[in-house]
Amino acid sequence: MHRNAYASSKPEEAVAVVILHPYSWLGGSMYDHVVRALYSAFASTGKFNTVLAYNSRGVGKSSGRASMYGAKKEVEDLRALCRSLLGNLTHPPAKIVLVGYSHGSCVAAGASMEPYVTGVCAVSPPVGALASSALGLKDLWKVFCEAQAPKFVALGTADTFCSEKALRKKSQGSNADIKIYRGADHFWSSTGALQALQSNLLEWVCKTLLV
């Protein structure tokens, strides 16, 4: 698996952040501009044990074949990566926060019940009826809703893969903190919206999980 990792200069910090990219069959990779923006926001603080973004199976130099429908193998890979962080680092983290964008948010959702996952952030989850059915992501979002870990969801009102109404309906009972960004699209084309996302997401993680 091809990784792009930042190791904090403060190894005593307890929290690691793992960032997941969009649907690989449509060109998603760790070099996506939203993934890079989120990576930079977390890595620049020095408050985290490790910040890691990686190419999932079949992307870039990562081996394997990407799933076209569902994300069972991608979720298994994510679990293996998290176990590697916990067991192989000289100064391993005590907590892992998963931050997924688009399809990556549903991969993160699939691992949200793991005991080492203490927070999940879903950015632009494609859980609208058409997108979730076409990509086979319904069951993964159910796991997200049932997970006990703190959850944050960010969605733009101009997102074509999920509406605010659909998101709130499908997230009922999840106890997720939902943040709606007026005018933002699925790809966070607006610099202002993306900067607000960076700020809000980092603030939520720091206030909720850095305790």
Side-chain angles (χ1 to χ4, degrees):
M1 185 179 291
H2 186 211
R3 302 178 186 176
N4 180 35
Y6 165 87
S8 171
S9 59
K10 297 182 179 180
E12 69 274 12
E13 299 296 344
V15 178
V17 178
V18 177
I19 303 172
L20 299 100
H21 64 69
Y23 191 50
S24 57
W25 286 100
L26 293 179
S29 79
M30 67 183 184
Y31 299 112
D32 176 273
H33 79 284
V34 176
V35 173
R36 293 179 67 171
L38 298 177
Y39 177 94
S40 296
F42 286 105
S44 63
T45 66
K47 294 181 179 180
F48 299 94
N49 176 287
T50 302
V51 179
L52 187 148
Y54 69 98
N55 278 334
S56 62
R57 57 174 47 236
V59 179
K61 296 180 181 179
S62 292
S63 60
R65 180 175 173 80
S67 302
M68 291 193 72
Y69 185 82
K72 181 178 179 180
K73 292 181 179 179
E74 284 76 5
V75 173
E76 291 174 353
D77 291 341
L78 173 58
R79 291 179 178 132
L81 185 150
C82 290
R83 290 194 295 268
S84 176
L85 282 178
L86 294 169
N88 295 337
L89 293 181
T90 303
H91 301 282
K95 306 174 183 178
I96 295 178
V97 180
L98 303 178
V99 179
Y101 165 48
S102 190
H103 185 270
S105 66
C106 291
V107 177
S112 57
M113 284 193 177
E114 296 300 321
Y116 45 75
V117 173
T118 56
V120 186
C121 302
V123 177
S124 300
V127 295
L130 180 60
S132 61
S133 296
L135 298 175
L137 304 175
K138 290 183 179 179
D139 290 343
L140 297 177
W141 197 249
K142 289 180 182 178
V143 175
F144 174 86
C145 292
E146 294 172 1
Q148 296 301 306
K151 298 177 283 284
F152 177 92
V153 184
L155 184 77
T157 55
D159 195 309
T160 54
F161 294 94
C162 184
S163 66
E164 178 182 354
K165 181 179 179 180
L167 174 65
R168 293 191 183 279
K169 180 178 180 181
K170 293 194 174 186
S171 302
Q172 288 180 351
S174 69
N175 296 318
D177 291 326
I178 297 176
K179 176 71 174 178
I180 302 300
Y181 295 79
R182 301 298 167 192
D185 60 21
H186 186 78
F187 306 101
W188 299 87
S189 304
S190 165
T191 300
L194 184 56
Q195 290 176 340
L197 174 66
Q198 288 176 292
S199 177
N200 296 156
L201 189 54
L202 183 60
E203 180 182 19
W204 183 87
V205 170
C206 289
K207 286 186 176 181
T208 306
L209 301 171
L210 293 188
V211 294

